[in-house]
Amino acid sequence: MYDLVWLLPALPFAGFLVLTLGGPRISRGACAWIACSTVGISTAIMLAFAVGFLIHPPAEHAHTLTLWRWIPLEAVGIPFSLRLDTLSQAMASVITGVGFLIHLYSTEYMKMDPDYNRFFAYLNLFVGFMLLLVLADNFVLLLVGWEGVGLCSYLLIGFWYRDPANGRAARKAFVVTRIGDAALLIGIFLIFAELGTLHIPEVLALAPERWELGSGVALAAALLILGGAVGKSAQLPLQTWLPDAMAGPTPVSALIHAATMVTAGVYLIARTHGLFELAPPAMQTVAVIGSVTLFTAACAALVQRDIKRVLAYSTISQIGYMFLALGVGAWAGALFHFMTHAWFKALLFLAAGAVINALHHEQDLFRMGGLRKKLPLVFWTFLIGAACLAALPLVTSGFYSKEKLLWDVWISPYGGPWFWAVAMAGAFVTALYSARLVALVFFGPARTQVSARPGGRVGFVLVILAIWSLIGGGIELPHTFAHVTVFSDFVAMTIPTLVELPPGLDAQLWTLLAVASVIVVAGATLGAWLYGAGAPAREALAARTGAVHRFLMNGWEFDRLYDTILVRPYVRLAEWNRADGVDKAVFLITGLTRAAHVAIQRTQHGQLRRYAAGVATGAVIILLIMLFQ
Amino acid sequence: MILFWLIALPALGGVFALLAGRRSPEAARWISIAALAAGFALAIPYLGRATETGWLAEFSLPWIPRLGISFHLAMDGLSLLLVLLTYLLGILSVVVSWRSIDRRVGFFHFNMLWILTGTIGVFIATDLFLFFFFWELMVLPMFLVIGIWGHENRNYAAIKFFIFTQASGLLLLVAIVGLAFAHFHTTGVLTFHYDELLGAELTAVAQMWLMLGFFVAFAVKVPAFPFHTWLADAHSEAPTGGSVILAGVLLKTGGYGLIRFVVPLFPEASAAFAPYAMAMGVAGILYGAKLAFAQSDLKRLIAYTSISHMGFILLGVFSWNELALQGSVVQMICHGFSTGALFILAGCLYDRIHTRDLSRMGGFRDQAPRMAALGLFFAMASLGLPGLGNFIGEFLVLVGAFQASVPLTVLATLGVVAAAVYSLWIVQRVFHGTPHSSSRITDLNLREFGALAVLLIGLLWFGLYPKPLLDTADKPLRELRNHASERFERATELRRHGEAVFRIPDPGAQTHPVRRTDAPETHRHSAATIALP
């Protein structure tokens, strides 16, 4: 059965091909059917695989399917082969599942768009590449998926291509992530030069034999891979592209820039965990990047006016949590949070999309308000999403995944109280901005008229995602609650767990859970008060902190920094040397020839006297030379 | 005999096209296509035999026996790939010139086919004198194509092209004659035959000078930084068909020459020179990408991307290992496809709006969605998107080069970021944004679409299943490496360990013979006489 794994990426690719070649000849209805059914069938196959793995896992908990010999050379043989294990399944089930729901949502959301078919073609292409990325069993094939999703991200951010601003955002996304990709490429070259293979399981098996714990090579390899992950997952210092990526249609933001593609970095680190385990400083770096990112991005989310930018910064921040977990070796914790985040963040984006559509494409939070009564379904689902994001205790999946993650950070030998404290500070800010979102959009006076109400498919998708966001946390519970570890057991089939639970820490866990709950509730309450009854106090505060506000609004001014030190110098250099200085140097030769020509021409002036003088002078010189030799 | 026809078909086709063109331009076009298609069909069957050792086919006629010169042709897998590329792009360049060339059609096709004759000759000549003959044969018709059918600034570009290639051709001639004489000195046999010269015993000095002679000639053609400045003018001023041939095929003669002649004939000198050559390659990658980004002329922009892409070939050849060499070959083929396609697109745009100025383009996606989709595809190929052929080439070159030089490879890898910048810039400026003027443009017609579709399928194929390419190039590259590797690697080792047995000599110093176990002492005396032929 597992040999059917090739169908997972092949079906969406086929959908893309049909939609591209058919172009405008395919009717909208047919287009929607093709796009949804390909991803839908992939989802069904994926579910069958997952159930199969749970009931009766194959040998070594993995199944490899080699499709063809791709780059067969003596020095390296790279097959085109897919590997199905529990890690790729965890990723693929989210990609297909959430992907399918977002396809379904888009059939209604994009119905007014003239480029309907192109949109679904790109969306299908994206799902195909994303599945290829997580199923690849060697680094080169992984790159195909990796850059392929980057291409789709570029295409979909710039989907409305007539506006040059969208084009700029799209190019920025591609180029910034490509900086990370360059690092990843160098890392791959290094791994090949050292280990002689690019097959990921082989690399993971060979690395501990060849490299000592803490060796420089392992550190370099891990850091270079981290470079790629940081670019794709929009972590510091390459996070600047994601807020601008919101220029794309909202379903795209939900699918690519929240649920799936941006978590590819998390996947990559989890996939190459063996290399990171050999390089403790690299693990520390991951944890530090994660914790700094989660806090800075949360602060930036707090002040944004654009509802999608809030969610974008919140995505950066939540992926920061995942990076923190990866950095302390909590592989399952990171992936669990990836999974719940995919549900509730997709939910938030899709609900936000419904709001934006209802308000004539209004995205400014301060021109929304009072939608609780007018859009009750959207309100309730958004509320659930925001509660998950804030990790409201007990009832939300976000709570369970975040608490697992934080508990792992607390007990891991790589983690500790400091990282936990930063994460808690981030959690407080997260609760604050989640409450702010809900308060500004759904409470208070209505500032814009509702012009459209979401239809059946949008509502259906929102409800499904909301239900998942509520109950999905049940697959993994804190051990003091009950012994449910379905998810971490599933992941541990592929990635051996690094964080062992020392016995007798129940009291600590209870305390941490209580502290976290108090902090979250406090943050949410404060947020609700500031953007409700306490508005005057908030405005007084805002007036006094204008500079800080602007600084956070601009995402800690990273854009300006990179503009100054990278973009503008490059552009200026390019313009300064537009005409190619080397060409000018070549013209020196022509110039010299011409100058010599002019100089010699001067001697041909037709004056007999001077010719005679010349002849005489020459004769004298020759005679002198002959005399003195 | 088939090899003879590979050359004769385009040559004869050119003559017939010239004759027929007086009466009917259409006839000239069809004759050209027929001649090229016939050649392509003749060469194709050899693909299946590429795993055989030795030459796939040979053809020999005595020519000037007194000087050891013969009309000797031979083809192996490496030549075969490039010959097929030449024919294919030749056909496409005729196809895309269908409407845009309307003056002196017969003469145009005569010139095009004679360029191709010269190119194919270069790829299959195994007599160095004959090689030089074909090398020069490419130049004059190209000069005419640029000078007669080019754009506004064509005279300047044509003359610049001519001077650059002639100057480098002179170097090549001197080096070839020098090599033959050096070989004559040690063996008493005067020959220009490649197989025999391959074993020529040379002193270090002679090797270095002769190698540099060959190298510079090929580096101008590749073109390698800093010999690249003819290219932008020639490419941007040439008519579409000329640009396609120039970028797609003519540049490859330089890369071919490096692989076939420079390293195998002069392994030690090449090893000593390798770091500089690789540095030139990397400089080309980065400098070309930076220049491309700054251009406002579409064809000029594409021309500079060629410099960037061809830098990978220089880097790969002088890394001289399996991965890097295979990568260079794949890169040569795929660059021919992707850049050829971009020039065709630029030509299609020029036919419609009569400008190459990017600031007068924009928003064409609305009116020409098919053209936009293809433009996007080829821009992606040019930035090395994995899954397309160019990625295989660049990736293999870089993996191989990493083993030769880590810092240079790291710098070269930065080129992928710069490639993304200029490639996406093309897409943005031409197809995205709002339509610039009220002028309407039509989408690609069937003829243009067909030509581009062939290239698209090729790039997808090479990206997903490059095995046929790699298999075909494998044997010849292996033989060339076997020939040179031991000597190349030993020299590299010595250089690494700081033993300066081999350096660019200054004329006053004592000459250093190559430290080689089998080098007879007697060679030392001849060093002074042949050091500077």
Side-chain angles (χ1 to χ4, degrees):
Chain A
M1 172 176 91
Y2 300 120
D3 270 345
L4 290 178
V5 62
W6 65 274
L7 279 173
L8 289 180
L11 283 168
F13 279 136
F16 162 75
L17 270 185
V18 171
L19 293 179
T20 307
L21 296 178
R25 271 162 297 183
I26 295 177
S27 73
R28 289 180 168 229
C31 166
W33 266 105
I34 292 168
C36 292
S37 63
T38 51
V39 180
I41 297 170
S42 283
T43 312
I45 297 173
M46 188 53 238
L47 281 178
F49 287 162
V51 171
F53 261 67
L54 280 174
I55 296 169
H56 183 69
E60 295 178 8
H61 306 299
H63 182 83
T64 305
L65 172 72
T66 301
L67 292 170
W68 64 80
R69 295 169 66 205
W70 186 25
I71 308 179
L73 293 178
E74 198 177 74
V76 60
I78 298 167
F80 202 100
S81 56
L82 306 175
R83 181 182 168 87
L84 191 69
D85 58 17
T86 53
L87 175 57
S88 50
Q89 286 191 3
M91 298 295 296
S93 55
V94 170
I95 296 161
T96 51
V98 175
F100 172 70
L101 289 174
I102 290 173
H103 272 72
L104 194 61
Y105 174 96
S106 308
T107 56
E108 183 184 315
Y109 186 85
M110 297 297 288
K111 66 175 185 281
M112 302 304 282
D113 200 280
D115 268 335
Y116 194 76
N117 289 13
R118 187 163 61 92
F119 180 80
F120 280 99
Y122 289 169
L123 222 50
N124 262 357
L125 184 67
F126 169 77
V127 173
F129 274 129
M130 193 68 207
L131 288 168
L132 200 58
L133 161 61
V134 298
L135 289 170
D137 87 331
N138 62 65
F139 279 111
V140 192
L141 190 56
L142 185 140
L143 277 177
V144 175
W146 186 266
E147 301 257 344
V149 292
L151 164 67
C152 297
S153 161
Y154 161 81
L155 291 173
L156 285 161
I157 295 169
F159 180 73
W160 290 309
Y161 57 86
R162 285 178 197 83
D163 184 354
N166 296 346
R168 199 174 309 127
R171 288 202 309 283
K172 182 175 174 186
F174 197 93
V175 173
V176 173
T177 49
R178 211 142 211 249
I179 294 171
D181 296 353
L184 174 61
L185 266 175
I186 297 169
I188 291 174
F189 304 150
L190 178 67
I191 287 170
F192 178 73
E194 292 288 323
L195 302 177
T197 177
L198 289 174
H199 188 239
I200 296 171
E202 269 177 39
V203 167
L204 293 184
L206 274 178
E209 293 172 17
R210 302 268 180 88
W211 298 340
E212 283 171 28
L213 183 66
S215 73
V217 188
L219 179 61
L223 286 179
L224 286 165
I225 290 176
L226 175 62
V230 159
K232 209 62 154 184
S233 288
Q235 298 292 289
L236 279 170
L238 297 179
Q239 82 289 19
T240 57
W241 63 270
L242 189 61
D244 290 352
M246 296 301 121
T250 305
V252 170
S253 311
L255 178 59
I256 300 184
H257 304 118
T260 55
M261 186 193 81
V262 282
T263 53
V266 177
Y267 166 78
L268 183 68
I269 293 176
R271 178 55 86 194
T272 56
H273 62 96
L275 303 180
F276 283 85
E277 285 163 16
L278 286 175
M283 298 278 281
Q284 291 288 323
T285 313
V286 177
V288 169
I289 286 178
S291 43
V292 174
T293 309
L294 78 87
F295 186 74
T296 52
C299 290
L302 193 55
V303 300
Q304 300 301 315
R305 288 183 71 104
D306 182 323
I307 184 170
K308 286 183 72 180
R309 282 181 90 87
V310 176
L311 293 176
Y313 276 110
S314 134
T315 304
I316 298 176
S317 167
Q318 293 300 307
I319 298 173
Y321 277 100
M322 298 175 212
F323 267 63
L324 173 58
L326 294 169
V328 302
W331 315 119
L335 289 166
F336 188 33
H337 195 58
F338 147 74
M339 209 158 189
T340 58
H341 174 257
W343 298 325
F344 69 69
K345 188 54 71 62
L347 171 62
L348 281 170
F349 264 114
L350 296 182
V355 169
I356 293 166
N357 234 9
L359 298 182
H360 272 301
H361 304 287
E362 181 56 65
Q363 300 196 7
D364 188 345
L365 283 170
F366 289 90
R367 305 183 61 181
M368 298 177 174
L371 294 176
R372 182 167 43 108
K373 292 276 165 51
K374 287 176 185 141
L375 302 170
L377 178 76
V378 178
F379 166 63
W380 285 108
T381 50
F382 194 95
L383 187 65
I384 290 168
C388 288
L389 176 61
L392 224 54
L394 301 180
V395 292
T396 64
S397 61
F399 170 74
Y400 294 102
S401 62
K402 203 178 262 179
E403 287 316 315
K404 165 147 182 65
L405 190 156
L406 290 172
W407 174 239
D408 284 348
V409 169
W410 180 266
I411 59 169
S412 162
Y414 295 104
W418 284 109
F419 283 122
W420 184 86
V422 176
M424 274 335 295
F428 179 77
V429 182
T430 308
L432 199 60
Y433 72 70
S434 305
R436 169 179 179 261
L437 264 182
V438 175
L440 284 176
V441 177
F442 294 100
F443 291 85
R447 298 182 189 89
T448 307
Q449 279 307 308
V450 173
S451 62
R453 265 164 234 282
R457 273 167 289 171
V458 166
F460 172 76
V461 170
L462 291 180
V463 169
I464 297 285
L465 280 172
I467 293 173
W468 265 114
S469 301
L470 283 180
I471 64 168
I475 56 174
E476 182 88 22
L477 296 177
H479 71 271
T480 45
F481 282 26
H483 187 76
V484 180
T485 55
V486 179
F487 187 78
S488 50
D489 290 346
F490 191 68
V491 171
M493 284 192 218
T494 303
I495 313 179
T497 176
L498 207 61
V499 185
E500 286 299 338
L501 180 67
L505 291 179
D506 288 9
Q508 268 192 37
L509 179 54
W510 281 118
T511 320
L512 290 189
L513 287 176
V515 171
S517 304
V518 169
I519 286 178
V520 165
V521 172
T525 317
L526 178 64
W529 178 74
L530 277 178
Y531 290 89
R538 185 194 85 222
E539 270 152 27
L541 184 72
R544 223 170 300 153
T545 55
V548 178
H549 193 272
R550 258 196 313 282
F551 181 68
L552 293 178
M553 185 81 173
N554 293 335
W556 300 65
E557 295 292 1
F558 272 95
D559 276 332
R560 186 182 294 185
L561 176 69
Y562 292 157
D563 232 33
T564 317
I565 63 170
L566 291 173
V567 180
R568 259 182 283 158
Y570 184 70
V571 173
R572 212 170 298 151
L573 178 73
E575 298 206 328
W576 171 69
N577 190 25
R578 184 193 298 264
D580 190 359
V582 180
D583 201 25
K584 300 232 173 67
V586 172
F587 269 88
L588 270 181
I589 301 173
T590 24
L592 278 177
T593 317
R594 200 165 290 163
H597 158 78
V598 171
I600 295 170
Q601 200 183 31
R602 289 246 173 83
T603 62
Q604 242 187 25
H605 34 59
Q607 294 182 354
L608 201 60
R609 278 181 304 175
R610 284 165 71 179
Y611 285 157
V615 171
T617 318
V620 169
I621 290 171
I622 291 169
L623 282 173
L624 281 175
I625 290 172
M626 285 168 73
L627 255 173
F628 287 101
Q629 229 176 15
Chain B
M1 202 58 194
I2 286 182
L3 290 187
F4 174 76
W5 282 110
L6 288 184
I7 289 175
L9 273 169
L12 290 174
V15 173
F16 284 124
L18 178 63
L19 296 175
R22 298 210 177 124
R23 297 221 181 79
S24 144
E26 293 293 294
R29 297 193 168 100
W30 281 113
I31 288 173
S32 308
I33 288 194
L36 293 171
F40 188 74
L42 272 184
I44 274 279
Y46 286 105
L47 265 185
R49 296 173 38 199
T51 48
E52 294 168 17
T53 41
W55 300 110
L56 290 174
E58 263 192 284
F59 175 80
S60 186
L61 278 179
W63 188 12
I64 317 175
R66 175 183 297 205
L67 296 178
I69 296 171
S70 60
F71 192 90
H72 197 125
L73 307 172
M75 181 167 76
D76 59 8
L78 177 63
S79 312
L80 174 63
L81 288 177
L82 292 164
V83 165
L84 288 174
L85 176 75
T86 308
Y87 276 123
L88 184 68
L89 289 182
I91 296 171
L92 295 183
S93 63
V94 173
V95 169
V96 297
S97 306
W98 212 269
R99 292 266 174 277
S100 53
I101 299 295
D102 46 12
R103 287 180 300 130
R104 304 169 75 177
V105 177
F107 191 47
F108 175 78
H109 287 91
F110 171 80
N111 281 313
M112 291 294 273
L113 266 71
W114 277 72
I115 299 171
L116 298 173
T117 308
T119 316
I120 291 165
V122 162
F123 291 141
I124 60 178
T126 42
D127 183 283
L128 262 69
F129 192 83
L130 184 65
F131 173 80
F132 180 74
F133 169 76
F134 284 125
W135 184 265
E136 290 294 305
L137 186 60
M138 301 186 296
V139 177
L140 196 65
M142 196 56 179
F143 168 75
L144 294 174
V145 165
I146 300 173
I148 298 178
W149 293 273
H151 298 296
E152 309 82 41
N153 206 6
R154 56 180 175 262
N155 285 336
Y156 168 76
I159 291 173
K160 196 171 181 181
F161 166 78
F162 192 77
I163 291 178
F164 265 83
T165 39
Q166 277 304 299
S168 64
L170 180 65
L171 270 178
L172 183 63
L173 178 65
V174 169
I176 288 176
V177 173
L179 175 62
F181 276 130
H183 182 254
F184 175 64
H185 241 272
T186 49
T187 61
V189 180
L190 185 61
T191 177
F192 283 84
H193 191 256
Y194 173 73
D195 283 339
E196 288 174 48
L197 291 175
L198 211 46
E201 297 287 352
L202 302 169
T203 62
V205 186
Q207 234 197 67
M208 183 54 87
W209 282 109
L210 293 176
M211 189 281 294
L212 285 175
F214 275 85
F215 175 80
V216 171
F218 296 139
V220 169
K221 209 65 145 204
V222 163
F225 177 88
F227 304 112
H228 61 270
T229 64
W230 62 272
L231 174 128
D233 290 304
H235 277 61
S236 47
E237 296 302 329
T240 305
S243 301
V244 172
I245 291 298
L246 200 52
V249 180
L250 233 58
L251 304 188
K252 308 303 177 297
T253 59
Y256 172 80
L258 293 174
I259 297 179
R260 174 77 77 201
F261 297 105
V262 172
V263 183
L265 287 174
F266 317 105
E268 286 90 357
S270 302
F273 188 66
Y276 306 100
M278 289 167 72
M280 284 165 72
V282 173
I285 293 172
L286 298 175
Y287 192 66
K290 185 203 70 89
L291 277 173
F293 172 62
Q295 301 308 312
S296 54
D297 176 330
L298 178 57
K299 284 184 81 173
R300 223 179 159 77
L301 196 167
I302 302 168
Y304 280 119
T305 71
S306 281
I307 297 174
S308 186
H309 289 147
M310 297 300 285
F312 281 97
I313 290 167
L314 201 58
L315 179 66
V317 171
F318 279 88
S319 304
W320 202 250
N321 54 44
E322 188 201 8
L323 292 166
L325 277 173
Q326 284 278 16
S328 299
V329 173
V330 175
Q331 176 78 351
M332 282 205 261
I333 307 289
C334 294
H335 171 261
F337 275 53
S338 67
T339 307
L342 286 175
F343 274 122
I344 292 177
L345 276 169
C348 294
L349 282 166
Y350 186 85
D351 291 344
R352 286 163 174 76
I353 57 174
H354 303 289
T355 180
R356 312 187 306 261
D357 188 355
L358 281 171
S359 64
R360 292 171 60 189
M361 301 183 187
F364 289 154
R365 174 160 220 150
D366 280 344
Q367 298 159 24
R370 243 190 295 171
M371 193 196 282
L374 285 166
L376 179 72
F377 177 89
F378 292 113
M380 287 300 143
S382 137
L383 67 76
L385 189 80
L388 305 180
N390 304 55
F391 168 75
I392 305 279
E394 284 173 19
F395 182 80
L396 289 177
V397 165
L398 290 172
V399 173
F402 193 84
Q403 294 166 12
S405 167
V406 174
L408 285 175
T409 311
V410 169
L411 283 175
T413 310
L414 294 182
V416 305
V417 180
V421 174
Y422 66 67
S423 300
L424 299 180
W425 187 237
I426 298 179
V427 176
Q428 178 68 34
R429 287 316 301 260
V430 179
F431 298 113
H432 292 176
T434 39
H436 205 268
S437 57
S438 55
S439 68
R440 294 199 56 82
I441 72 164
T442 49
D443 208 343
L444 296 175
N445 61 34
L446 203 62
R447 184 171 46 79
E448 296 158 334
F449 184 75
L452 290 167
V454 169
L455 298 173
L456 178 146
I457 291 168
L459 285 173
L460 262 179
W461 176 30
F462 299 146
L464 294 176
Y465 192 64
K467 192 168 174 295
L469 270 187
L470 300 172
D471 284 351
T472 310
D474 178 62
K475 206 93 209 176
L477 289 179
R478 191 181 302 268
E479 279 168 12
L480 288 171
R481 273 193 320 125
N482 285 344
H483 206 93
S485 279
E486 203 187 316
R487 287 163 65 184
F488 185 89
E489 273 153 24
R490 191 163 341 125
T492 308
E493 277 306 302
L494 290 175
R495 172 168 54 73
R496 282 221 181 116
H497 294 115
E499 291 184 44
V501 291
F502 211 102
R503 41 171 196 253
I504 299 175
D506 52 304
Q510 271 288 316
T511 52
H512 308 271
V514 180
R515 192 183 290 176
R516 202 188 310 146
T517 46
D518 59 346
E521 273 304 296
T522 48
H523 291 172
R524 204 179 285 244
H525 75 276
S526 61
T529 49
I530 60 169
L532 272 169

